[in-house]
Every structure is written in C-alpha cells, then in structure tokens.
Amino acid sequence: MALKTAQEYKDSLKDGRVVYYKGERVADVTTHPELSVCVDTMALDYEMAENPRYRDLAVVSDEALGEDISRYYHLPQNGEDLLKLFDLIVASTRLGDGFIPLAHDIGADALNAISITANILGNSDYIARIEAYRTTLKKNDLAVVTGMTDVKGDRMLRPSDPGQAHPDYYVRVVERRRDGIVVRGAKVHISGAPYSNELFVIPSRAMTAADADYAVAFAIPVNTPGLKQVGRPFHAHITSLEFPNSRPLRVHTDSLIIFDDVFVPWERVFLCGEWQVAATLVVNFALLHRRTGCAYRIPMSEQLLGVAKAIAEYNGIANAPHVKEKLTDIVIYLETLRSLSHAACLDFVTYGGIAVPNPVSTNIAKYHFANEYHKVIKIIQDLAGGLLVTAPTFRDYQLPELQADIAKYLGAKADVPTEQRLRMLDLIRRITGADRETIALHGEGSLQAQRMTILAEARKTIAQCQLMVEEQAEIA
Ligand SMILES: Cc1cc2nc3c(=O)[nH]c(=O)nc-3n(C[C@H](O)[C@H](O)[C@H](O)COP(=O)(O)OP(=O)(O)OC[C@H]3O[C@@H](n4cnc5c(N)ncnc54)[C@H](O)[C@@H]3O)c2cc1C
C-alpha cells in the first residue's frame, strides 16, 4: 500500500493517543464533535489523491518503490518539481476554503530539511535512517506534522543558561541508552498534531556546545508513551447566530505537546548532540516551511480580495475612486506574493542534493504577506462598514416580525438582496479576526526571523553592491 484513502487515514487515528481538549481527555479524535472537523480537514489531502481532478498534482510515481506515492515525499530536483509542489499546496488550500489540509506539507518540509542537514554533515548513519524513514512515510502515506517551536522560557537566554527557571524549556535528551534516547521538554503551537500519525521534532534555534543535549531531531508516532497534547479551542461549527451554510467548515487546532521522558529508538533519531548543525537544520526548515506558508497564503489572499470586491459592490461603492484604489492595493498584495513565490521556485538553489526555493525571495514573500496583512484587513473592515460588528443575527432575521424590517432597512445596492449582504458579512467575520491575524504574523516565524534571514542571505549581494559603488567612486 503506498497511498491511503481518507477513511484509512481516519481509522489510523484510533490508537490510544493522549489528547486533551477543553478540559477533557479525548477518547477518539475522529468522533469528537469538534476535533473531527479538523480530522475532516486533514483528510482532504487523502481525498485529493483519490480525485482524478487532482491526482496528477497530488501523486507521483516512485521508481524505486514501483508505486504511486504522495508528491510531498518525492525529493525535489529542480524548479519544475518545486513549482508543482507549490501548486499542490495552493490547490489543496483552495479546496480547504483557505485551510491547508496539513497531512503532509509541514512534515515533508522537516523531512527534507533533515535530509539536507544529514547530507551536509556527511553522517552515513543519519542519511541511512532518514532515507529508511522516508520510505516508511512513502509506503504508508503517513500524516506527519512538525514540532519546532519550543516553549523557550526567557527568550533572551539560551536553552542551557542557568538563568532559565528550569532546564526543560527546550526539548532535550535526558538519557542515552543502547537502544535509543529519552527526551523531555515541550513544544507549543504545533498545528494538526492531535490528528496526525507522526510527529517530527527538530530544534528551534542555533545551539552552542553547552546546548548539545538540546540539538536533537527525531520522529515518533503520536501515540508514543509519555507524549501528551493539549489542543487549542476553536470554532468548529457555524453557530445558530449565523446564516446556515452547507459547506463543511475547515479548521485546525494547534497543540502544546509535552514530552514526559519519551523513549525514541535510534532508528528514529536524526540529530543527537551535533550542536554545530542545529542552525543549518533550523534555517533549512524555516526556508522550506516559509515557501509552504506562502502557498497557503495565496488562497487566503484571494479570499480577501474576493470579499473586498463583493462587499464593496453590495454596499454600492465599488466604483468610488478610493475603493478602486483599495482593491488595487489588495491586487498588488496578492500578486506580489504569488510572483515572488513562483520566482523563488524557478530561481531555486540546491542544498545537500535537494532543490530548494531561493532563500531571499522566499523570505521576502513571507515577510511581505505578514507585514501587509493587517493593512488588507483594515481595507476590508473599512469597505464593509460597521455592520461587520453590529448586524442583527440570523436568529433575529428569522423572526417573522423582524425579517421584513431587517430586509428593508439593511439593504444597500438595490439589486442585492439584504440576505446576500448579511451572508457576506458572516463570511468576512469567519475569515478575518484575531486568529488569522496572529497566524499571519507568527506562522513560519516572526517578522524579525524573516528579516534576519533576508539580511544573512543577501550578504553576497550587499557586498557586490558596495564593491560596485566603490569602483564607481574610484576608491582604491
Ligand atoms: C496558529 C499558529 C500555528 C503554528 N504552527 C506551528 C507548527 O505547526 N509547528 C511549529 O513548530 N511552530 C508553529 N507555530 C509557531 C510559530 O512558528 C511561532 O509562533 C513563531 O516562531 C514565534 O514564536 P513564539 O510564538 O514563541 O513568539 P516569540 O518567539 O515569543 O516572539 C514574540 C516576540 O519576541 C521577539 N523575540 C523572540 N525571541 C527574541 C530574542 N531572542 N531576541 C529579541 N527578540 C525576540 C520576536 O521577534 C517577537 O517580536 C505556529 C504559530 C501559530 C500562531
């Protein structure tokens, strides 16, 4: 079996995993009234592979295995491979109405970043283990997510700094055994982990010799003993205050993952003490994952452009000069993101034998998305008007004694029914808001993380520019 069906994926989650949500231990994530919505969102990845419309994008034929596998586990060799992968992430996020299914993308980013790191390190044990693990993922079409972000404690202190309140703010090795290692610590904000099969764990920062125990990377099944997760609450259903909508709601949760002395067998350990390459792993994962993040953000930005145009039209202001300017701003926002992301794939570089998108354009694309996001939301809030927060609810609209009044007084453009305007406002509320604003800013790293990478990666260009002007100024 290389490709799983959506049902097989769902069945694979009934494995005794320890997940807490809203103050309770969850017996089965697939039947939980809220988490099952996330499971359905992740299952979209598996449905795509079964759907003839997407199969070419979602599936590649693996020569070594002689089977079809998920494209995510195929090693990119060139710009075309990178673009196809990018298009797959965009298509799956469109299918998820702005939510990436998450079954393979973030795990594949970690897998490839670890491969690059092992190849650069030239460690044949790690290279063999990671390739064996890649084969396991391909053969079983496992869902994998990645835990990079440590809880960190005091941000200005290193993991091993004695000033930290305790030594477990970053995941670390507490015991080395003949058959494996034991790890302790916690990762936070980990998307999709309560309903993934496997979890990659990688360091979240550069390390020093004193931090060697924290330079650890591994992959384990989510039901491994000692691993427990606490999911973040989210809105899983359209409430009775909103207009009914038959489209399934797509959503994810992000969890705090606690490693309570978890045993990891050596064959699943891909870094253990080599602190010198922790930064290489972090930088490469961040690069690949920012590319993936840019792909998620294209459908999200398309949604923002769509709702801005729709609500402007419904309010009768679509042809006002300031509104056209604002729509132009969103078009520039979207197309800059799209162009930079595509250029990054075509202008790829090869690290450790794997094609990766151009680091400077990728980081600028992600930075552009995050840095301008709140400005786009401001435009939408401006065009929508105050009804975005004051409109009567669907329940009020349903009352026979109110419906005609609401329809009469909350109409705007004559040919747009009031209900259409109110439904669009419901959608705008769902796709904007604090959750999305925070993920826009922090998902794939903070703004400062991208700026630091851009500066580091552009060092050669900066030096060349300085040399050029020094020649022009005839400075010896
Ligand atoms: C919805 C969501 C989903 C996510 N999914 C995942 C996931 O699946 N896997 C994963 O690994 N991570 C995930 N993340 C984590 C994301 O990558 C982090 O939120 C991001 O890296 C910022 O880290 P933080 O939240 O700890 O904030 P902090 O690091 O505390 O950042 C807060 C501020 O402090 C600044 N700061 C931090 N450290 C320093 C320092 N040493 N010096 C100066 N300034 C500093 C930052 O620049 C920022 O301005 C997710 C985040 C969100 C919001």
Side-chain angles (χ1 to χ4, degrees), residues 183-220:
V183 296
R184 185 184 302 159
K187 297 276 182 182
V188 68
H189 323 299
I190 309 311
S191 305
Y195 39 94
S196 174
N197 297 121
E198 296 266 321
L199 171 70
F200 255 122
V201 173
I202 59 175
S204 60
R205 60 181 295 165
M207 301 288 175
T208 62
D211 302 318
D213 286 341
Y214 299 86
V216 61
F218 55 89
I220 46 175

Side-chain angles (χ1 to χ4, degrees), residues 202-425:
I202 59 175
S204 60
R205 60 181 295 165
M207 301 288 175
T208 62
D211 302 318
D213 286 341
Y214 299 86
V216 61
F218 55 89
I220 46 175
V222 165
N223 68 347
T224 300
L227 193 153
K228 59 184 173 216
Q229 309 192 45
V230 190
R232 167 185 68 90
F234 55 91
H235 296 290
H237 302 286
I238 295 200
T239 72
S240 60
L241 299 178
E242 295 169 278
F243 282 83
N245 190 322
S246 62
R247 284 176 83 82
L249 204 61
R250 302 303 184 187
V251 72
H252 282 299
T253 188
D254 317 285
S255 58
L256 169 68
I257 305 183
I258 296 154
F259 299 82
D260 194 3
D261 288 2
V262 171
F263 174 72
V264 186
W266 282 118
E267 63 267 24
R268 291 298 197 92
V269 177
F270 310 123
L271 192 74
C272 185
E274 296 84 354
W275 59 271
Q276 301 89 335
V277 294
T280 309
L281 179 47
V282 169
V283 167
N284 283 305
F285 172 73
L287 167 61
L288 296 174
H289 192 47
R290 282 176 196 154
R291 171 277 319 274
T292 301
C294 289
Y296 308 156
R297 274 38 184 263
I298 287 175
M300 279 171 68
S301 306
E302 289 168 344
Q303 280 182 318
L304 298 179
L305 179 59
V307 296
K309 173 66 170 45
I311 203 66
E313 212 168 277
Y314 300 174
N315 285 349
I317 55 173
N319 290 322
H322 81 95
V323 175
K324 286 183 178 169
E325 274 186 32
K326 284 168 181 155
L327 287 177
T328 311
D329 285 344
I330 308 181
V331 172
I332 292 171
Y333 174 73
L334 165 65
E335 297 306 337
T336 303
L337 174 64
R338 200 191 321 261
S339 317
L340 277 171
S341 306
H342 283 181
C345 293
L346 295 174
D347 193 16
F348 69 97
V349 288
T350 303
Y351 289 162
I354 299 176
V356 300
N358 183 285
V360 178
S361 348
T362 302
N363 277 280
I364 295 176
K366 171 61 188 43
Y367 180 81
H368 157 78
F369 169 83
N371 198 41
E372 303 294 312
Y373 183 83
H374 295 68
K375 290 186 200 161
V376 175
I377 298 301
K378 179 179 162 190
I379 292 175
I380 292 165
Q381 289 169 344
D382 176 36
L383 300 180
L387 271 189
L388 192 54
V389 291
T390 66
T393 67
F394 171 65
R395 270 204 247 158
D396 302 308
Y397 185 74
Q398 268 184 310
L399 294 178
E401 67 271 34
L402 279 182
Q403 191 167 105
D405 283 337
I406 293 175
K408 176 178 174 186
Y409 291 112
L410 294 188
K413 200 161 189 292
D415 58 354
V416 178
T418 300
E419 182 176 323
Q420 188 171 327
R421 188 170 179 230
L422 295 176
R423 279 179 172 275
M424 188 52 64
L425 291 169

Side-chain angles (χ1 to χ4, degrees), residues 102 106 145-152 155-157 187-192 202 205 232 254 285 289 435 438-449:
L102 268 183
I106 188 168
V145 297
T146 299
M148 178 198 217
T149 309
D150 289 283
V151 285
K152 295 187 281 209
R155 270 60 179 153
M156 298 307 282
L157 301 181
K187 297 276 182 182
V188 68
H189 323 299
I190 309 311
S191 305
I202 59 175
R205 60 181 295 165
R232 167 185 68 90
D254 317 285
F285 172 73
H289 192 47
D435 274 24
T438 307
I439 182 118
L441 264 189
H442 283 295
E444 301 95 44
S446 67
L447 290 173
Q448 198 51 28

